Amino acid sequence: MFGKFAWAAALTGLMLRAALAGVSAPTDNPAAPVTQAAPAVTQHDIIPIVERRCTVCHGARQREAELDLRTRAAMLRGGKSGPAIMPGKPDDSLVIQKLRAGEMPPLKRIVEVSIKPIEPAEVELLARWIALGAPEVEIEPDVASSDPDPLVSDQDRTFWAFHPLPTSEQIRIPSANSDRVRNPIDAFLLERLEAKGLTLAPEADRQTLIRRASFDLTGLPPEPAELQAFLVDSDPRAYETLIDRLLASPRYGERWARHWLDLAGYADSEGKREQDLLRPAAYRYRDYVIRSFNADKPYDRFLLEQIAGDELADYEHASEITEEIYDNLVATGFLRMAPDPTWFSLTNFLPDRMEVIADEIDVLGSGVMGLTMKCARCHNHKYDPIPQRDYYRLLDVFKGAFDEHDWMKSNWHETLSMGVRSDRDLPVVTTAERRAWAAHQDVVQKEIESLRAALDEAAAARAQQHQEERLAALPAVLHADLRAMLATTPDQRSAVQTYLAEKFESTLRIDRDALLKIDADFKRQSEEAAGRIAGLEASRLPEPKIRALWDRGEPSPTYVYRRGDPLSPGRLVGPGVPSVLTDGKSPFVVAHPWPGAKQTGRRLAFARWLTRPDHPLTARVMVNRLWKHHFGSGIVATLGNFGRAGANPSHPELLDWLAREFVRHGWSVKAMHRLMMTSAAYRQSSAVTPAHEELDPGNRLYSRMPLRRLDAEQLYDTLLRVSNQLDERRFGPADPVELRPDGLVTPVASATGWRRSIYLRQQRKQIATLLESFDLPQMNPNCIERRDSTVVTQALHMLNDGMVRGLAAHFAERVERDAGSDPARQVERVYLIALSRLPSDDESELGRSALARLTDAWAKQPARDPAAGQAKPDEAGHRALATFCHTVMNCAEFLYAD
């Protein structure tokens, strides 16, 4: 099946396994000399044991007693007590003696370093290896070579998603005579629609288009002034100008960063097990993503930074940390967003670490590559040609930073007693930020020192005063001698002064504690100074750090774990990529990122492979995701699975053309927005006709635009926007949430309102209730596509939540400022602000009637101030308007974008 080369490679593997099992390899030549049997135990049986039991204290980062046990040579070299092993003499080998005596690893410290006691069988295997002379067998790691891959065939690569991206010349753009074709997207769609007897739906009106585009690009509705300006703009390119303006808004990055943060699994807390510790520096990654979208950072560079930013520049030896270097490092937070319980010793054992790594591979695979790879951790993929070998090759790519045997804890809440700083937050920020932080700390320190000096001076003066008062009670003839004694250190005193000290020093000498007891004024002054010092100490800023991933060099060897079990290592592998996405006969080439670099360069090589212009998946997956957010469903409906178990593309040629255009335009995301949103397809009405229901019921042919409910963030931000409570401050630490006694989780307001939801703290186990009710996902580890539920709690929350009611009152205040007390103008303004349109005549009449009835009803209610009796007319009118605003906030048109 594989051909003669694959057969030869398979036979070679069989011979190698037979040799390692201690039997002679078969040969076709009877006259050939018999191959000498390989040792029954080699270093490849021993290294995995030592890595999981010993190298936490005797490895790359920590070498107690100057002992390194990672290799045979290091064991022979030994440490302070001499060689760890003596080949051929297991009983005389120090490591065996310590293991059998139970002294290593020390039982009292195994929880501290998160390892389990070594098994007796493992000790005996180590002793057997030493008895055999500690033999080493050179085995080349299993990596891709120029020989055909025996596990993945060319037939496996014929599936559409595994084909290299075709060139522009290879893609046929359908010819179309329709006047509805604004760009090739329409031609591709019309070809399928016309074959079904359909065409594109009529174009939506301008009010619908500006509301649709504003929500899509900024996550917020248009302001009335923006709506009016667009409606009266007679320029034929008014719509294109609108799209450009929305793309240039800083709100664009806040909206589209949210989509990427879902994919990355962004959270401000660890969120595993019972603990949900905060990640103080996670917000820097969120801000990096917002800035990147606003700057239209090319997608290939965006990925390069997130996967291998630490290997793009020598930040450790840079004379200045520039914004670019800082961004490169912050970007790697993409690979640090999965739930991570390993900050705690009891949840930092080998299986826990492997779960963290598996989650990160899952995020990368499903989010960026459109492949489900997690199952290949334990066995060959059941649907796609991804052998288990390829999964561990991919793990080896990340081994320089994600090494299960050389692990750095996920947070800096504790420090090991052995002196190892357990910190995966990197103290590298821009030089400007560090200088500003240092300057702030210096100012605080100087103020504290000034207060302490003033207090010391006051204490000395007050003590001197009390001392003189006590001297006055003693004979005057002693005063001069006693003053001299007090001014002389004990080791310099004469015999007479020593005598006087024994008699009088305890009475005359007044220290700080004694002064506080006898001097009320000084005690008050001391307490005031202590309070000011405490306030200054509280004003100190924590050292600025970033949540990053960085290559530390010297990764441990990677073995395939049979059935995913770290206790059952198999063959040795090297770094590599899924073979099915290559030609199967090209080596994965890795080089250090710069001369003398300790970094392996593996992730950089992987990132460059991933962003090749003809990569089968990278561009396809991203444009499909962009398409989904604009058109409601992806061309490939399964956003995170382009494999055989996923959905086939509804328009494969269109997908390939979009992907190629994406690359041709320099991987510009904004260029793709313009392309998609200026098509006639995007401008369609959402009206459903009987023909649609019959011929395209699921809208897989995109015969109309879908009516879409606002997602959690769009709804939350819109509530703030219409009520004039949106705080436009950007970036920085996340805003807190409050867990109320009734179980609701509510955002905490600032003096100027609330910031957008993207700046709200996103704890995995304390999600703001309004956002959770409207399907904000709990990242575990990420969210490829959100669900869109309709449940009763959504309506109940919008009707009864105190924050929503308060925002309705602020909405009413805004309307009153804009429209005065005229009910007709108030109704008109409510519709313009909330629904981006004017009310119809019937709606206007109904609104005025409702306001009148509500005002009468509120006028009969007690005033807010009980002493005032019934509500005054102006108060009743305001409360009526607030009720009307609250009602509009609960209508379907407010909750949906057409």
Side-chain angles (χ1 to χ4, degrees), residues 181-202:
V181 174
R182 292 182 177 271
N183 65 39
I185 288 175
D186 304 320
F188 280 107
L189 295 182
L190 279 168
E191 183 178 50
R192 293 285 307 281
L193 286 168
E194 290 172 352
K196 277 278 192 176
L198 291 169
T199 188
L200 294 173

Side-chain angles (χ1 to χ4, degrees), residues 589-650:
V589 180
V590 175
H592 291 288
W594 53 81
K598 70 178 182 182
Q599 290 85 350
T600 63
R602 296 177 186 178
R603 278 182 292 120
L604 184 57
F606 172 77
R608 286 175 172 158
W609 167 81
L610 191 65
T611 54
R612 289 173 49 181
D614 64 343
H615 190 281
L617 290 171
T618 306
R620 283 172 172 148
V621 170
M622 185 57 176
V623 296
N624 186 64
R625 183 169 295 279
L626 295 173
W627 182 275
K628 188 271 177 193
H629 288 304
H630 284 311
F631 290 90
S633 62
I635 296 172
V636 177
T638 50
L639 303 186
N641 187 358
F642 277 46
R644 295 182 183 277
N648 286 324
S650 60

Side-chain angles (χ1 to χ4, degrees), residues 312-367:
L312 292 176
D314 188 4
Y315 64 92
E316 292 179 295
H317 301 100
S319 58
E320 180 181 4
I321 302 299
T322 63
E323 289 285 351
E324 181 180 349
I325 293 175
Y326 168 79
D327 271 0
N328 290 345
L329 295 171
V330 172
T332 63
F334 171 70
L335 296 168
R336 294 288 322 285
M337 285 297 144
D340 193 339
T342 62
W343 64 271
F344 185 47
S345 296
L346 289 176
T347 51
N348 183 35
F349 287 88
L350 188 54
D352 300 304
R353 301 170 188 174
M354 293 305 299
E355 282 297 323
V356 174
I357 296 172
D359 280 346
E360 294 296 359
I361 295 298
D362 193 26
V363 169
L364 175 69
S366 60

Side-chain angles (χ1 to χ4, degrees), residues 216-217 252-260 293 626 629 673:
D216 266 12
L217 291 181
Y252 161 76
E254 293 170 330
R255 174 57 184 163
W256 278 82
R258 182 63 263 176
H259 294 317
W260 185 264
F293 273 99
L626 295 173
H629 288 304
H673 288 308

Side-chain angles (χ1 to χ4, degrees), residues 72-348:
R72 180 183 188 274
M75 294 177 192
L76 290 171
R77 185 167 58 250
K80 288 183 178 180
S81 301
I85 64 171
M86 297 184 67
K89 300 178 180 179
D91 294 339
D92 295 336
S93 295
L94 188 61
V95 67
I96 297 297
Q97 294 172 1
K98 293 286 187 180
L99 289 171
R100 286 176 174 169
E103 299 175 13
M104 192 174 76
L107 293 179
K108 291 183 178 179
R109 298 187 63 192
I110 57 175
V111 173
E112 175 188 331
V113 295
S114 304
I115 62 171
K116 294 186 178 181
I118 191 166
E119 298 288 341
E122 294 174 329
V123 176
E124 294 313 308
L125 187 63
L126 177 58
R128 185 181 173 197
W129 178 61
I130 296 172
L132 292 171
E136 287 190 307
V137 173
E138 291 301 322
I139 300 178
E140 289 296 322
D142 186 343
V143 295
S145 69
S146 56
D147 296 325
D149 188 344
L151 300 183
V152 180
S153 69
D154 288 340
Q155 179 63 32
D156 293 326
R157 297 182 176 88
T158 59
F159 186 66
W160 73 267
F162 305 147
H163 290 176
L165 192 63
T167 64
S168 298
E169 294 73 20
Q170 293 173 319
I171 302 172
R172 180 189 66 86
I173 299 176
S175 58
N177 297 320
S178 172
D179 58 0
R180 298 298 306 280
V181 174
R182 292 182 177 271
N183 65 39
I185 288 175
D186 304 320
F188 280 107
L189 295 182
L190 279 168
E191 183 178 50
R192 293 285 307 281
L193 286 168
E194 290 172 352
K196 277 278 192 176
L198 291 169
T199 188
L200 294 173
E203 185 168 307
D205 60 62
R206 278 198 166 195
Q207 292 168 320
T208 297
L209 288 178
I210 187 173
R211 183 174 170 86
R212 179 187 296 171
S214 295
F215 272 121
D216 266 12
L217 291 181
T218 70
L220 291 166
E223 284 287 271
E226 296 171 326
L227 173 64
Q228 184 62 25
F230 180 61
L231 294 180
V232 300
D233 190 345
S234 59
D235 188 329
R237 291 188 54 80
Y239 176 77
E240 286 76 6
T241 301
L242 167 70
I243 299 301
D244 286 340
R245 178 176 63 78
L246 294 173
L247 287 172
S249 167
R251 293 170 177 160
Y252 161 76
E254 293 170 330
R255 174 57 184 163
W256 278 82
R258 182 63 263 176
H259 294 317
W260 185 264
L261 295 178
D262 274 12
L263 180 153
Y266 175 85
D268 291 303
S269 65
E270 300 295 354
K272 198 89 168 184
R273 310 291 192 269
E274 291 74 24
Q275 299 284 356
D276 196 24
L277 295 176
L278 292 179
R279 294 171 167 172
Y283 75 90
R284 293 177 182 268
Y285 174 73
R286 173 249 287 156
D287 290 351
Y288 158 82
V289 175
I290 295 173
R291 292 195 309 271
S292 296
F293 273 99
N294 274 333
D296 197 20
K297 181 172 288 185
Y299 183 64
D300 58 341
R301 176 69 189 192
F302 187 54
L303 289 181
L304 199 68
E305 292 174 354
Q306 292 183 88
I307 294 171
D310 58 307
E311 296 183 319
L312 292 176
D314 188 4
Y315 64 92
E316 292 179 295
H317 301 100
S319 58
E320 180 181 4
I321 302 299
T322 63
E323 289 285 351
E324 181 180 349
I325 293 175
Y326 168 79
D327 271 0
N328 290 345
L329 295 171
V330 172
T332 63
F334 171 70
L335 296 168
R336 294 288 322 285
M337 285 297 144
D340 193 339
T342 62
W343 64 271
F344 185 47
S345 296
L346 289 176
T347 51
N348 183 35

Side-chain angles (χ1 to χ4, degrees), residues 786-798:
R786 294 192 185 186
R787 64 177 184 172
D788 190 8
S789 67
T790 302
V791 292
V792 69
T793 51
Q794 295 165 349
L796 292 174
H797 195 104
M798 290 293 292

Side-chain angles (χ1 to χ4, degrees), residues 476-528:
V477 68
L478 295 175
H479 289 184
D481 289 337
L482 287 172
R483 288 192 182 98
M485 176 271 292
L486 291 170
T488 307
T489 59
D491 60 323
Q492 297 293 321
R493 288 170 180 170
S494 66
V496 172
Q497 288 176 330
T498 301
Y499 172 77
L500 291 173
E502 291 174 355
K503 292 292 185 181
F504 300 104
E505 186 170 21
S506 61
T507 301
L508 297 175
R509 184 80 69 185
I510 302 173
D511 61 16
R512 181 71 64 89
D513 290 339
L515 190 61
L516 289 170
K517 293 176 181 177
I518 65 174
D519 193 320
D521 287 341
F522 177 74
K523 182 179 181 181
R524 177 186 51 76
Q525 184 180 358
S526 180
E527 288 173 349
E528 289 177 356

Side-chain angles (χ1 to χ4, degrees), residues 812-871:
E813 292 172 0
R814 176 183 178 182
V815 171
E816 287 170 333
R817 286 194 299 270
D818 292 349
S821 58
D822 180 3
R825 291 185 61 203
Q826 287 179 343
V827 171
E828 179 181 294
R829 199 67 182 170
V830 168
Y831 271 74
L832 276 174
I833 293 172
L835 307 180
S836 304
R837 65 175 179 85
L838 291 170
S840 66
D841 291 343
D842 288 345
E843 289 169 332
S844 181
E845 181 180 350
L846 183 62
R848 293 195 305 272
S849 173
L851 283 176
R853 293 197 307 272
L854 287 168
T855 301
D856 289 342
W858 278 115
K860 298 174 183 178
Q861 297 297 318
R864 289 192 177 95
D865 180 3
Q870 289 186 328

